[in-house]
Amino acid sequence: MENLRVLQPNKYNVYIGNNITYKLIERFTFDKVLVIADANLEDNDIDNIVAAFPNSYLLKVKAEEANKSIDQYLKIIDLLVSLNFGKCDYILGFGGGVILDLAGFVASTYKRGIKFISIPTSMLAMVDASVGAKVAINYNGIKNLLGTIYAPQMVIVDPYYLHSLPKEHLINGLMEAYKMGLTLNKDIIKAIKDNNYLEVIKLSLEAKIKIVNEDPFDNDLRHVLNFAHTIAHAIELKMNLLHGIAVAACFKYFIKDEILKKEVINDLKNYVYLDDIYAFIKNNKAEIIESIKNDKKVVNSYHMFINEVFLTSINKYEFKDIKLEDYEVLLNE
Ligand code: GLY
């Protein structure tokens, strides 16, 4: 088992290994635990997690963006009040990004913060969302509009749970890891090619934790994790794409080295079919730029620019402020 230590905004451990979950839970004592589980997970996996805690309650939530809502949030708050949860009790998020965001946001706000444990079950959450303390819900059609930075007590990353993950969701997470391979550690791309998922997860989290330890509140360096994300977010909803797939399609707009760009576009063909996305982007530039205006990375309404990351060569990047009108040029690629 690997144990990575995150230092910011509070210290916590990220445990990584196959079939480590129950042994780890046994090591600690818990009073009350509310397990918020992805309803799509196998019943057996959910039942076993609940049974691992002597004093636990279960709430199953469908892992859909629509459930990262104020209504769902208040429903959970009401449940916590009725169960008399106190500051020393735990919320356990058991699922992918949607569940961890919702569970973490509840944990961060109820009684100004109760204890939170994260057990990611999707590849995307294992390589990215479960670590870094960003938690949020959606409001008024805007993704992650209400959010906080709230560290969990611990994160248990157990690739065993990938067994029930559909293939396209596996690729979804691998593409987010590919992003970290391009920007931070090229060995991640090698591990993806070798289908060595444990290594992909370990290297991606190591790379992410280094960044988070330096810039936990996303002021500057952490922007590197947003590589290719602005355009991706703008097309994700319009085309109903999985997040990692949208991000992969947008790599090419932010790679300055032409040889590397060609290599990456070719390599991505082994995982995803992107031609339709490229065509959509070409034909919907004005609409995409309109969506970028609402991106939360826009500095403010007077300074309509976004601090973007460009890859100059593999694992070498630079930041540049991009004005809305400059995206028009980028999208001509
Ligand atoms: N997923 C980007 C970040 O954690 O900052």
Side-chain angles (χ1 to χ4, degrees):
M1 174 168 65
E2 292 278 337
N3 178 5
L4 305 177
R5 185 91 170 138
V6 187
L7 304 174
Q8 298 284 353
N10 290 315
K11 298 185 174 74
Y12 59 99
N13 287 331
V14 180
Y15 301 97
I16 308 169
N18 277 308
N19 299 303
I20 57 172
T21 304
Y22 304 119
K23 276 176 245 149
L24 263 172
I25 292 171
E26 263 172 36
R27 272 198 208 167
F28 302 92
T29 43
F30 300 91
D31 194 355
K32 283 196 290 240
V33 180
L34 172 66
V35 177
I36 301 179
D38 175 356
N40 295 321
L41 290 171
E42 286 184 3
D43 286 344
N44 203 28
D45 287 335
I46 297 178
D47 294 347
N48 286 341
I49 284 285
V50 174
F53 297 96
N55 195 2
S56 58
Y57 303 85
L58 171 66
L59 178 71
K60 287 188 193 180
V61 177
K62 266 198 171 170
E64 291 163 358
E65 281 296 324
N67 273 331
K68 271 172 61 175
S69 63
I70 285 276
D71 285 353
Q72 188 64 251
Y73 167 78
L74 292 177
K75 201 173 130 188
I76 303 172
I77 297 289
D78 285 342
L79 180 63
L80 292 173
V81 173
S82 71
L83 295 170
N84 210 9
F85 263 57
K87 279 184 79 69
C88 291
D89 296 322
Y90 284 79
I91 290 194
L92 168 67
F94 184 47
V98 166
I99 299 296
L100 301 186
D101 257 353
L102 176 67
F105 187 70
V106 170
S108 77
T109 49
Y110 179 76
K111 296 194 174 174
R112 295 206 185 95
I114 63 171
K115 294 182 189 304
F116 175 48
I117 301 174
S118 186
I119 305 186
T121 59
S122 72
M123 188 55 129
L124 190 64
M126 287 188 192
V127 298
D128 184 21
S130 61
V131 167
K134 282 185 181 174
V135 290
I137 58 171
N138 307 327
Y139 181 62
N140 214 8
I142 304 176
K143 207 174 145 158
N144 297 338
L145 188 68
L146 306 176
T148 59
I149 302 252
Y150 189 69
Q153 298 291 306
M154 72 171 108
V155 181
I156 302 175
V157 184
D158 188 339
Y160 156 78
Y161 292 111
L162 295 174
H163 73 93
S164 58
L165 191 70
K167 172 117 189 278
E168 55 171 357
H169 285 267
L170 183 72
I171 305 276
N172 181 35
L174 290 177
M175 291 300 99
E176 193 70 38
Y178 201 111
K179 172 210 77 182
M180 283 189 270
L182 286 174
T183 48
L184 301 173
N185 180 359
K186 60 181 173 0
D187 292 347
I188 297 169
I189 297 177
K190 185 179 178 308
I192 293 173
K193 289 182 181 174
D194 294 343
N195 294 320
N196 186 346
Y197 298 147
L198 191 57
E199 190 72 358
V200 170
I201 293 164
K202 196 189 94 187
L203 294 178
S204 298
L205 290 181
E206 267 172 9
K208 178 162 181 179
I209 288 168
K210 258 192 218 159
I211 300 290
V212 166
N213 282 343
E214 278 198 47
D215 179 23
F217 296 104
D218 208 1
N219 290 323
D220 37 55
L221 183 64
R222 190 164 174 173
H223 295 180
V224 69
L225 300 177
N226 292 331
F227 177 69
H229 275 53
T230 311
I231 303 172
H233 281 149
I235 59 169
E236 215 174 303
L237 280 184
K238 290 186 202 311
M239 291 193 74
N240 196 17
L241 297 172
L242 291 175
H243 173 72
I245 311 295
V247 168
C250 297
F251 288 158
K252 70 171 185 173
Y253 303 105
F254 298 91
I255 302 178
K256 285 189 157 179
D257 178 326
E258 291 298 327
I259 297 173
L260 177 64
K261 188 189 303 194
K262 274 203 184 102
E263 273 173 22
V264 170
I265 291 173
N266 257 330
D267 192 29
L268 290 178
K269 287 183 186 147
N270 295 317
Y271 308 98
V272 271
Y273 178 74
L274 298 174
D275 290 358
D276 287 349
I277 306 180
Y278 295 145
F280 178 87
I281 293 175
K282 241 192 184 120
N283 296 326
N284 293 277
K285 275 189 273 180
E287 232 186 283
I288 291 169
I289 292 172
E290 201 47 41
S291 305
I292 292 175
K293 271 192 200 160
N294 291 322
D295 192 300
K296 61 186 174 311
K297 298 193 292 308
V298 170
V299 173
N300 64 40
S301 52
Y302 295 105
H303 304 283
M304 296 288 272
F305 63 79
I306 293 180
N307 187 234
E308 286 285 5
V309 193
F310 289 86
L311 210 60
T312 50
S313 61
I314 190 90
N315 297 164
K316 290 213 165 27
Y317 54 86
E318 61 187 24
F319 294 105
K320 201 171 163 208
D321 291 338
I322 298 292
K323 293 203 212 69
L324 286 181
E325 55 267 30
D326 298 335
Y327 283 99
E328 180 102 38
V329 181
L330 276 182
L331 291 174
N332 278 336
E333 169 56 41

